């Protein structure tokens, strides 16, 4: 797995980043970790530099300010592709994506999937320590995006994923303009439209125990509004496909 790059975007995750990186290195020892820090005021970037100084398989990208999740991943994907990594992983920095489950996602990628979705909503998947309201919001958001965009996947909004390098080159990433919560839906929709082989692997999502979540109702509403606009724009093409 020396061709695996695990991308971990951070903003004010000093309380979590050392533990998450350590667990990734233990779970997949040959993988390389790239921390992408958006000038975190709490010193996350400085701590990431210390981790990188002690481990040659850890690198850090420093960005000048908070520019959004989508921009962080786009920057990291370009960095990884330039260096020849064959599998590029998306993972949250707060511990909600269990590093010990990464091998299962990579196995699906090695079996031929272009994109592997760590899924909370397929058989065997689940969530720990979420209130019912947040569960309903997540499930409802995925269901709405599936319906509007005509995609069959159960977990459309999740952020624990493995892309092949070929998949990232085939996706029209220049057309992916979402920077926040909607980035995950946007990337999946482009992958789906590109005809990539996409599979879902069950994961257990664990709510963070340290630090503060960046999620808010406004962020979710903005993402669903974007999904609605994408769905409307795609209606003519979907209508023509049903007529053929």
């Amino acid at each position: 797995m020396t061709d695996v790059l695990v991308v971990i975007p951070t903003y004010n995750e000093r309380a979590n980043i050392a533990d998450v990186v350590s667990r990734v290195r233990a779970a997949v020892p040959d993988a390389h970790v790239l921390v992408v820090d958006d000038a975190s005021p709490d010193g996350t970037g400085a701590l990431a530099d210390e981790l990188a100084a002690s481990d040659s398989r850890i690198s850090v990208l420093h960005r000048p300010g908070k520019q959004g999740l989508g921009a962080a991943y786009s920057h990291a994907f370009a960095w990884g592709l330039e260096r020849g990594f064959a599998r590029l992983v998306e993972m949250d920095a707060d511990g909600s994506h269990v590093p010990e489950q990464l091998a299962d996602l990579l196995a699906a990628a090695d079996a031929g999937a272009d994109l592997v979705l760590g899924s909370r909503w397929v058989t065997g998947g689940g969530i720990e320590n979420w209130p019912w309201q947040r569960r309903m919001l997540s499930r409802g958001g995925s269901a709405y995006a599936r319906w509007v965009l005509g995609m069959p996947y159960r977990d459309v909004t999740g952020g624990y994923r493995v892309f092949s390098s070929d998949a990232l080159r085939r996706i029209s990433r220049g057309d992916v303009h979402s920077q926040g919560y909607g980035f995950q839906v946007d990337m999946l929709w482009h992958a789906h439209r590109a005809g990539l082989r996409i599979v879902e692997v069950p994961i257990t999502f664990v709510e963070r125990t340290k630090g503060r979540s960046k999620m808010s109702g406004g962020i979710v509403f903005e993402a669903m509004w974007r999904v609605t606009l994408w769905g409307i724009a795609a209606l003519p093409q979907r209508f023509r496909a049903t007529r053929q």
Side-chain angles (χ1 to χ4, degrees):
M1 295 184 184
T2 55
D3 62 347
V4 175
L5 178 67
V6 181
V7 179
I8 306 178
T10 57
Y11 186 77
N12 285 349
E13 293 290 355
R14 185 179 179 88
N16 294 303
I17 188 61
D19 180 62
V20 170
V21 170
S22 175
R23 289 169 63 191
V24 171
R25 295 287 293 113
V28 189
D30 290 336
H32 197 99
V33 176
L34 177 65
V35 177
V36 186
D37 186 67
D38 278 9
S40 297
D42 72 346
T44 303
L47 178 55
D49 284 336
E50 294 177 16
L51 299 175
S54 64
D55 189 334
S56 63
R57 291 190 181 274
I58 301 173
S59 299
V60 185
L61 277 178
H62 293 279
R63 287 154 33 94
K66 192 175 182 181
Q67 301 173 28
L69 183 69
Y73 274 128
S74 295
H75 192 175
F77 290 157
W79 188 95
L81 291 175
E82 287 174 359
R83 287 159 178 78
F85 287 98
R87 301 282 185 267
L88 296 94
V89 179
E90 293 183 355
M91 178 183 285
D92 286 353
D94 59 10
S96 57
H97 295 152
V98 179
E100 291 75 18
Q101 296 178 331
L102 178 54
D104 294 335
L105 276 66
L106 291 171
D110 290 339
D114 298 307
L115 169 57
V116 181
L117 309 177
S119 181
R120 299 161 289 184
W121 307 126
V122 296
T123 301
I127 290 178
E128 292 184 0
N129 303 324
W130 264 13
W132 69 267
Q133 299 95 326
R134 194 168 177 190
R135 289 174 180 266
M136 291 299 295
L137 181 64
S138 179
R139 290 186 75 115
S142 276
Y144 179 73
R146 285 200 312 269
W147 176 66
V148 171
L149 300 177
M151 296 192 296
Y153 318 106
R154 300 298 300 173
D155 197 338
V156 175
T157 61
Y160 199 3
R161 299 177 173 181
V162 180
F163 291 86
S164 71
S165 57
D166 182 62
L168 289 173
R169 293 188 177 96
R170 290 171 61 188
I171 294 172
S172 299
R173 288 183 291 127
D175 296 331
V176 178
H177 302 298
S178 303
Q179 298 303 314
Y181 184 73
F183 173 79
Q184 304 296 2
V185 183
D186 204 351
M187 283 291 287
L188 178 56
W189 190 44
H190 278 77
H192 176 73
R193 296 174 74 190
L196 301 184
R197 184 187 176 198
I198 302 169
V199 302
E200 293 186 87
V201 171
I203 62 165
T204 299
F205 183 98
V206 181
E207 175 64 342
R208 69 160 66 232
T209 58
K210 300 176 183 177
R212 296 178 58 186
S213 173
K214 284 77 173 177
M215 189 59 62
S216 69
I219 291 173
V220 175
F221 177 79
E222 179 186 6
M224 292 304 101
W225 175 245
R226 284 179 176 269
V227 166
T228 302
L229 295 179
W230 299 334
I232 292 172
L235 279 176
Q237 181 179 358
R238 291 175 64 184
F239 178 75
R240 287 194 297 270
T242 60
R243 298 273 301 216
Q244 293 176 353

